[in-house]
Amino acid sequence: MPYVNIKITNENVSSEKKAAIIVGVTKLLEEIMQKNPETTVVVIDEVSTDNWGIGGEAVTVRRIRKNI
């Protein structure tokens, strides 16, 4: 039973896009690993850009800095 946890920043990703990710990951595991799609679990966690850091700073700060 595969369990896949995908973390993305919470920046208005539509339900349709999340559904497409779930379908795509499930199909990929079925095709590549011969895993049963009926027992494949895909979880998408949305994380605030304030809580996601890259290179020692929050994504929120990086994006503000790059737009200046």
Side-chain angles (χ1 to χ4, degrees):
M1 177 173 103
Y3 175 89
V4 179
N5 184 240
I6 299 170
K7 296 185 184 292
I8 60 173
T9 55
N10 64 342
E11 298 177 279
N12 301 317
V13 177
S14 69
S15 295
E16 293 80 14
K17 286 184 180 180
K18 288 185 249 184
I21 290 169
I22 292 167
V23 168
V25 168
T26 301
K27 285 182 179 179
L28 185 65
L29 285 170
E30 180 180 19
E31 291 169 6
I32 303 298
M33 305 284 297
Q34 292 74 50
K35 296 298 181 179
N36 182 353
E38 295 299 318
T39 60
T40 297
V41 176
V42 179
V43 176
I44 299 173
D45 290 327
E46 294 183 272
V47 180
S48 164
T49 57
D50 288 341
N51 297 327
W52 192 300
I54 301 171
E57 64 184 347
V59 169
T60 305
V61 173
R62 288 174 68 96
R63 293 200 177 143
I64 291 169
R65 185 173 45 77
K66 289 189 178 200
N67 286 331
I68 295 176

